Amino acid sequence: MLEAVKKIGELSLKERKESFAFSLIEEGIDFGSEENKKYILTLNFDLQEEKIHLDFEEIDYKKLQKYLWIGNAKSNNPQDRLTTNNVSYLLYQTIPNLYHNLKEGDLKDKLQSILEKFFLKLGQKSVYLLNLEKIEGSNIKVEEILQNFPHDFKKVKDFVEKIYEKEFYEILKNKDLSNNDFSLYSVKIDGLAPSELQEYIDYIEEKLIGEPFEDSSFEGTCYVCGKKTLITADTTKLPDKYYITKLVTFASGLDKKGFSKNFAICKDCYKELMAGSSYIRNNLSQRLAGRDLYLIPSIMFSPKEDYTLKDIVGVSKSSFNAIKSFEGKLEFQNTIEKNLVNYTKYKEIGSYSNINLLFFEKNQSAFKIKKLIKDIPLRRLDEIRKAQNDTQNITKKLFGESASRWFFISLDQIYYLIPVRIDKKSKRAVDYKKMLDLYEDLFVGRKINKNFLINEFLELFQVYRFEKFAQFNILKPKDSDIEMVFAILKTNFLLKMFSLLHILNGGEKMIEGVDDLPLREEIKNYWKEMNFSEQEAALFLLGYLIGEVGNKQRTGESNKKPILEKINYQGMNLKRIILLSNEIFEKLDQYKVRDFNEVNFAIMKRFMDKNISNWSISDSENVYWILSGYAFNTYKVITSKKEEKNEQ
Amino acid sequence: MDLLIFDVIGKMAHFRKYYTNSSSLSYYFPPRTALTGLIAGIIGMQRDTYYEIFSSNKTRIAISIKTPLRKIIQTVNYVWAEIPDELNLSKGQHTQIPVEIVIPDSFEENIRYRVFFSHEDRKILDKVCFVVKDQKFVYPPYLGISEFTAKIEFVDYVNSIHEEHGKTTLDSILNIKYLDNGALEPSYDSLYIKEMTPFEFDKERNLINSPAYFIVEVKSGKITVQLNKPYYKVLHRKGEENILFME
């Protein structure tokens, strides 16, 4: 993984051909929407007029570069970035810190003037505070506010954030501006933005790369590129901290000096790793299964042609998104499959590159890896895409063109077919591991246990049936009964897709001579497409008959289907299935639908009796196939009613 | 060349990737540094005393994976100690570390790595052979961390191996430098993983040489490939294997 991050960094630095600092631009900032645009507010220090002019510009990527937005200083480091998303830093910390850290030069002189002309020096510890009276158009009386200035140095932060910052917002208010309009705040000095202040750019680069080498570098072999040069074990400036040097327990010999024997890197690799991480964060962040994820392309072999990073990333992203969502699939079709140049590029790049999926959780500076699915060949994504398309074609055949979109089994969709428990307080998924393991099995082509899936599906159906939405990752729908029907059929298609990919354990021999059975064509087609065994088909038909009774019950006075209470979602053994089939026979009579279903009942009974002595389906699976038949019947009724309405 | 062949067997393994610790990822196989550590341990060499003895110009080691593997992540409580004095848990704090663990794909099985070991010093080779055959380990073997204890099973001791050329199906892991572009044959059921591992330390435990890139196939352990250097055919009591040393 590290080598992939480094490679991305190397290409990113090579292709951008500008100062290293610009490769660290953070794009994850709120740009707002068309109706509600976000802006960057600048405090322009005019040294001649001794006034601060407030300007604002609409945020876009170019502005992020202009103002060199690379995030705030991390952890407890002093804030020294001229562009920030927290205006309080500009009111008291940034300028004094930057002035203190800068080497002698023009910028340092200017900052000294700024401190003298625009800041107030307060308290015993000489805290600098921006003089709000210096802002053009301000009618603030600072003296009055400062009556509350704390004597205790530790309380200054609170004072600035809770009192002084509000006064600053008052000035904005008087100018018909609101702090909600701004995502970023920055500084100009005599009209020059941070990207125009070379000394500031040099400072940032030195700060990020130079510091780790200042005191703790030594001659050795770089643990990344293998060069014998000056290396450092101080990795604190690397983002995404899955390697730390804070705890002595990780150091060789339980001595912090031992970190130099664990992992030490040269300046070039340091830069490339930082640039790579920044690029990945900005361009390759994704969400899947309610979790954060980096999609990291890696190159298994050197490419024959010099493809750019944009090419490689573009191909990796398109292939992944094509299986992730229906929209991604459409985009893939339009931009890659229908474009010969792009398709050739896609095939070429796909032959030597892989992707890594890094699921993680980030909490302030802590970075915890939840799962790494490594080196997935792009051809595997092709195979998955093909299986998705083939499954979609089956749904088209069975339920028509318009329904096929609803039954498209994307990666996103799979997440909603496996119930994941959500912690009520934190709203985070608790048992997410099974989900990530399932994705891994899919990506690497490992066998998946069918019983595991069936049990998960039954739990899902219970979420719908008993409305347990608050505890799970399933959103409460308008009509739980109907959504359950959709969910059941989707799980059928998920099984189908997995079986097309040959990753499903188990599976019985399918029924012979389906075409000769005196059943409705739609049922026979479903069985054929889904490769049902006789046992599965018997249960499916039993479920179908339950659907017949249920439909009658729902169209009666009540909107409910009491027949569904006969189903035990924990599983039903064969004895109970036989009892249920007898009960259904009576119900068909009771609701006067026996005449239409005698053949269905007879075939169900025939298959059941034939297999009764060698019944191989588990109790859970029995219920699953009954529910599948029920869902199939109900879906047909719902759609035929819709069609009738449309015709009228 | 005389070659000792033995299997290292266990239920779980963790070979930490050196650039991860607060989330500890694992290689699928023990890198060369871990293997020399394991061999040094079973013959009773002290920590940090054996790097030169098992240097790459004196020792040849190859490894093959004999069981399909997978990985899981489990969160483990580690002691929180910023200084050695806090190792006695005096801070009363712990830290939760996600640890990637290698396990066999099927829970009924064990992980089984096959090690091919040769050393220019006959005495060392004999000593390793003796402890492996007689199961008289000075320090008990384990798979990466001491919690994951391992068994060692003697397979064979062979006196000659045959150099072969051309396209082959390798049973061992493979250094990527012996591979030309496009020379790796993918198959529907293969899963190739490329890993960057440390290769060798000097006597002070500082890295020497570049980290090496190895390719491993984690489902069957077999890699069908056209190599740009000769490989070795090894005939032993349990069959025939094509290997490349980690060098």
Side-chain angles (χ1 to χ4, degrees):
Chain A
M1 187 181 69
L2 193 74
E3 65 274 20
V5 178
K6 176 187 146 65
K7 186 74 190 169
I8 289 171
E10 182 193 315
L11 292 173
S12 142
L13 288 172
K14 197 169 96 186
E15 288 169 21
R16 288 202 182 194
K17 292 179 188 139
E18 57 198 10
S19 289
F20 159 69
F22 288 93
S23 67
L24 303 176
I25 298 291
E26 284 204 2
E27 291 171 33
I29 197 84
D30 186 9
F31 282 40
S33 59
E34 203 52 48
E35 307 80 49
N36 185 18
K37 289 199 167 125
K38 292 281 183 183
Y39 298 84
I40 180 164
L41 181 78
T42 53
L43 284 72
N44 185 358
F45 292 93
D46 187 331
L47 288 164
Q48 282 224 318
E49 278 189 36
E50 291 194 23
K51 274 278 162 214
I52 302 169
H53 307 291
L54 293 183
D55 304 323
F56 56 92
E57 292 176 71
E58 205 176 289
I59 289 192
D60 56 30
Y61 182 67
K62 279 190 176 166
K63 301 290 164 20
L64 298 183
Q65 287 199 307
K66 179 179 175 184
Y67 290 98
L68 201 56
W69 164 238
I70 55 167
N72 300 316
K74 302 282 182 302
S75 309
N76 291 327
N77 291 321
Q79 294 301 326
D80 57 359
R81 312 282 158 84
L82 289 178
T83 301
T84 173
N85 58 358
N86 184 344
V87 74
S88 77
Y89 296 153
L90 298 182
L91 299 181
Y92 79 121
Q93 280 200 51
T94 307
I95 304 280
N97 286 338
L98 188 59
Y99 167 75
H100 181 75
N101 292 344
L102 272 177
K103 289 179 194 155
E104 296 301 323
D106 190 38
L107 183 60
K108 188 167 177 109
D109 294 344
K110 281 187 174 162
L111 290 180
Q112 188 178 8
S113 302
I114 288 174
L115 285 174
E116 285 165 6
K117 291 175 179 171
F118 299 97
F119 279 78
L120 305 160
K121 205 171 171 183
L122 302 165
Q124 286 177 331
K125 290 216 173 183
S126 297
V127 175
Y128 282 96
L129 197 64
L130 186 75
N131 186 348
L132 298 180
E133 289 177 11
K134 295 281 182 180
I135 296 175
E136 196 179 34
S138 157
N139 47 18
I140 298 274
K141 297 279 176 251
V142 173
E143 209 175 316
E144 287 171 23
I145 309 163
L146 291 183
Q147 284 171 1
N148 297 321
F149 189 79
H151 296 292
D152 184 354
F153 176 71
K154 287 177 189 161
K155 291 180 180 166
V156 171
K157 185 172 179 276
D158 259 12
F159 169 79
V160 176
E161 286 176 358
K162 290 180 183 157
I163 300 172
Y164 211 64
E165 193 179 312
K166 277 187 189 153
E167 296 298 333
F168 177 76
Y169 292 147
E170 279 303 310
I171 299 172
L172 296 184
K173 223 179 191 177
N174 292 338
K175 292 175 180 286
D176 288 334
L177 299 170
S178 155
N179 57 316
N180 294 328
D181 297 332
F182 303 107
S183 291
L184 287 176
Y185 304 88
S186 187
V187 163
K188 279 182 184 173
I189 300 172
D190 285 337
L192 294 177
S195 65
E196 295 165 296
L197 301 166
Q198 192 55 47
E199 284 166 275
Y200 176 66
I201 296 169
D202 294 343
Y203 165 78
I204 289 292
E205 289 198 4
E206 187 58 25
K207 178 96 181 161
L208 294 176
I209 290 297
E211 263 183 14
F213 287 84
E214 252 171 32
D215 304 320
S216 53
S217 61
F218 56 97
E219 277 290 329
T221 305
C222 172
Y223 274 64
V224 183
C225 67
K227 242 188 321 194
K228 284 190 174 56
T229 180
L230 214 55
I231 55 175
T232 181
D234 176 0
T235 55
T236 47
K237 296 280 185 258
L238 292 178
D240 300 341
K241 300 199 181 308
Y242 40 80
Y243 178 85
I244 57 169
T245 51
K246 190 177 179 183
L247 300 182
V248 73
T249 39
F250 290 126
S252 178
L254 290 174
D255 176 356
K256 280 207 173 175
K257 283 182 193 155
F259 277 119
S260 64
K261 295 178 179 184
N262 292 133
F263 180 41
I265 42 181
C266 69
K267 218 169 198 173
D268 286 344
C269 288
Y270 216 118
K271 264 187 185 181
E272 286 164 1
L273 288 172
M274 289 189 76
S277 294
S278 166
Y279 186 92
I280 289 165
R281 195 171 53 250
N282 287 328
N283 299 285
L284 294 159
S285 294
Q286 298 261 0
R287 294 270 301 168
L288 181 64
R291 303 213 73 86
D292 288 316
L293 151 77
Y294 288 150
L295 187 160
I296 308 173
S298 70
I299 295 157
M300 197 83 164
F301 306 104
S302 309
K304 280 180 197 154
E305 287 191 45
D306 275 345
Y307 285 112
T308 62
L309 178 61
K310 207 176 156 195
D311 289 332
I312 296 165
V313 165
V315 162
S316 304
K317 267 169 99 169
S318 303
S319 325
F320 181 73
N321 288 336
I323 59 169
K324 186 175 180 289
S325 67
F326 186 74
E327 292 71 27
K329 168 198 147 90
L330 293 181
E331 201 185 316
F332 183 86
Q333 283 172 342
N334 291 331
T335 56
I336 299 206
E337 285 183 335
K338 290 181 184 166
N339 181 318
L340 188 62
V341 178
N342 286 348
Y343 188 73
T344 314
K345 200 188 283 177
Y346 166 78
K347 279 286 167 199
E348 270 279 313
I349 292 174
S351 65
Y352 63 78
S353 63
N354 296 333
I355 57 165
N356 303 289
L357 299 179
L358 182 77
F359 291 88
F360 64 91
E361 198 170 280
K362 214 170 177 179
N363 191 0
Q364 292 178 331
S365 66
F367 185 95
K368 298 287 179 196
I369 295 176
K370 296 294 171 184
K371 181 107 198 156
L372 171 66
I373 310 178
K374 198 173 176 326
D375 288 342
I376 308 163
L378 288 184
R379 67 183 154 77
R380 178 64 188 169
L381 305 191
D382 280 347
E383 287 161 9
I384 296 172
R385 201 175 63 252
K386 185 175 179 311
Q388 284 177 330
N389 289 341
D390 290 349
T391 311
Q392 198 189 13
N393 287 336
I394 292 172
T395 62
K396 258 184 217 172
K397 238 197 260 177
L398 294 170
F399 297 146
E401 178 82 37
S402 58
S404 69
R405 182 184 173 148
W406 295 110
F407 293 114
F408 181 71
I409 308 295
S410 63
L411 297 183
D412 283 338
Q413 184 67 255
I414 295 172
Y415 176 57
Y416 296 105
L417 299 178
I418 305 289
V420 176
R421 223 165 261 279
I422 302 288
D423 178 57
K424 274 185 189 168
K425 265 189 186 171
S426 65
K427 301 276 174 217
R428 283 193 169 162
V430 183
D431 55 347
Y432 61 87
K433 274 186 189 168
K434 62 180 179 189
M435 201 61 232
L436 303 190
D437 287 343
L438 183 68
Y439 283 127
E440 184 181 31
D441 291 340
L442 173 63
F443 280 120
V444 305
R446 276 203 195 98
K447 294 278 185 212
I448 298 170
N449 189 322
K450 193 173 171 186
N451 282 333
F452 158 77
L453 287 175
I454 299 279
N455 287 328
E456 292 296 324
F457 296 158
L458 289 186
E459 190 162 2
L460 172 76
F461 306 153
Q462 289 180 72
V463 172
Y464 284 106
R465 178 77 186 133
F466 306 114
E467 308 219 327
K468 298 197 281 186
F469 302 104
Q471 301 157 45
F472 289 93
N473 59 331
I474 313 296
L475 293 175
K476 190 177 187 316
K478 270 187 190 169
D479 187 328
S480 302
D481 282 347
I482 290 177
E483 281 306 315
M484 182 171 92
V485 165
F486 275 94
I488 295 169
L489 293 175
K490 280 177 194 170
T491 61
N492 276 197
F493 295 124
L494 178 64
L495 290 179
K496 179 69 196 173
M497 189 180 101
F498 284 171
S499 85
L500 288 174
L501 285 163
H502 311 290
I503 54 172
L504 211 54
N505 263 336
E508 290 285 311
K509 205 180 156 206
M510 70 173 284
I511 320 164
E512 281 172 13
V514 178
D515 287 326
D516 302 331
L517 294 170
L519 287 168
R520 291 171 74 171
E521 282 304 311
E522 57 190 26
I523 297 178
K524 289 196 284 188
N525 288 341
Y526 201 79
W527 288 5
K528 279 192 287 184
E529 294 294 351
M530 309 304 269
N531 294 355
F532 276 13
S533 68
E534 285 185 348
Q535 295 176 31
E536 289 163 351
L539 295 163
F540 185 89
L541 271 183
L542 179 58
Y544 186 89
L545 296 172
I546 291 173
E548 290 285 272
V549 175
N551 291 329
K552 283 286 165 192
Q553 289 177 332
R554 189 163 163 140
T555 48
E557 278 179 18
S558 159
N559 206 24
K560 292 190 173 158
K561 296 177 176 176
I563 189 73
L564 289 179
E565 278 154 31
K566 304 275 178 200
I567 295 172
N568 182 354
Y569 290 79
Q570 308 298 322
M572 291 167 79
N573 60 25
L574 187 57
K575 205 172 156 188
R576 296 191 60 191
I577 298 288
I578 295 167
L579 285 174
L580 179 64
S581 65
N582 293 337
E583 275 184 69
I584 291 302
F585 190 75
E586 285 170 23
K587 294 283 175 194
L588 291 172
D589 247 352
Q590 186 187 336
Y591 285 96
K592 298 184 177 54
V593 283
R594 204 182 93 186
D595 290 351
F596 314 110
N597 287 292
E598 282 211 325
V599 175
N600 296 337
F601 190 87
I603 293 175
M604 182 269 291
K605 204 73 181 122
R606 193 176 105 198
F607 282 157
M608 207 178 269
D609 292 347
K610 189 178 161 191
N611 289 279
I612 213 155
S613 57
N614 57 350
W615 199 260
S616 58
I617 293 183
S618 69
D619 296 356
S620 308
E621 209 176 332
N622 285 338
V623 176
Y624 176 71
W625 292 117
I626 290 174
L627 285 170
S628 299
Y630 160 77
F632 178 81
N633 178 304
T634 313
Y635 177 78
K636 284 288 173 189
V637 171
I638 297 166
T639 46
S640 66
K641 274 184 188 164
K642 267 189 189 166
E643 277 164 20
E644 270 172 34
K645 261 189 190 175
N646 289 343
E647 275 170 23
Q648 281 169 8
Chain B
M1 180 174 43
D2 284 5
L3 194 66
L4 169 68
I5 308 164
F6 60 90
D7 286 354
V8 186
I9 304 149
K11 206 69 203 169
M12 289 185 260
H14 174 72
F15 307 107
R16 185 171 63 81
K17 292 186 180 180
Y18 64 89
Y19 52 86
T20 66
N21 58 20
S22 58
S23 289
S24 292
L25 298 179
S26 173
Y27 298 111
Y28 272 107
F29 58 90
R32 194 184 177 284
T33 46
L35 277 172
T36 53
L38 181 134
I39 294 167
I42 60 173
I43 59 171
M45 288 182 169
Q46 292 289 321
R47 181 190 175 86
D48 292 349
T49 60
Y50 54 85
Y51 301 126
E52 282 188 312
I53 296 165
F54 291 113
S55 64
S56 60
N57 54 359
K58 294 177 186 161
T59 316
R60 301 189 92 179
I61 305 180
I63 186 164
S64 63
I65 291 174
K66 308 310 282 180
T67 36
L69 300 176
R70 64 187 302 150
K71 289 182 194 168
I72 52 168
I73 285 191
Q74 285 295 331
T75 302
V76 179
N77 282 347
Y78 278 25
V79 173
W80 178 282
E82 291 183 35
I83 50 169
D85 285 352
E86 290 168 358
L87 287 168
N88 59 3
L89 297 172
S90 56
K91 247 197 155 182
Q93 253 182 299
H94 64 260
T95 176
Q96 295 200 311
I97 305 295
V99 179
E100 200 175 39
I101 299 167
V102 181
I103 55 168
D105 194 24
S106 159
F107 287 111
E108 292 84 43
E109 285 185 59
N110 282 316
I111 300 170
R112 183 182 286 264
Y113 298 111
R114 180 155 297 161
V115 180
F116 302 83
F117 172 73
S118 177
H119 200 281
E120 67 165 25
D121 185 340
R122 185 71 199 213
K123 278 186 208 156
I124 290 177
L125 185 59
D126 286 349
K127 198 172 179 183
V128 177
C129 188
F130 169 75
V131 297
V132 168
K133 269 185 160 174
D134 283 19
Q135 302 280 298
K136 298 229 162 110
F137 312 120
V138 181
Y139 297 109
Y142 54 83
L143 291 172
I145 56 173
S146 56
E147 287 80 357
F148 298 156
T149 50
K151 281 198 299 182
I152 291 187
E153 266 179 24
F154 173 77
V155 174
D156 207 349
Y157 186 93
V158 296
N159 301 110
S160 65
I161 56 175
H162 311 282
E163 210 173 277
E164 304 269 343
H165 298 261
K167 191 179 166 187
T168 187
T169 299
L170 273 184
D171 294 279
S172 69
I173 65 163
L174 154 73
N175 190 325
I176 204 163
K177 71 182 178 186
Y178 300 133
L179 194 60
D180 291 329
N181 255 3
L184 187 70
E185 205 168 274
S187 75
Y188 186 82
D189 207 27
S190 59
L191 178 61
Y192 295 118
I193 306 284
K194 182 171 138 186
E195 297 282 22
M196 180 174 76
T197 74
F199 189 67
E200 197 171 4
F201 296 127
D202 66 12
K203 61 180 176 185
E204 306 294 333
R205 205 200 174 277
N206 290 313
L207 188 73
I208 45 174
N209 299 327
S210 301
Y213 289 92
F214 287 97
I215 289 186
V216 55
E217 202 291 321
V218 295
K219 286 185 180 172
S220 66
K222 294 185 186 297
I223 306 171
T224 304
V225 71
Q226 175 78 43
L227 295 165
N228 60 20
K229 73 159 272 175
Y231 64 92
Y232 298 98
K233 191 176 277 295
V234 183
L235 287 163
H236 56 76
R237 282 192 308 154
K238 292 196 174 171
E240 179 184 293
E241 286 183 69
N242 298 321
I243 62 161
L244 268 177
F245 292 104
M246 296 163 98
E247 48 196 24

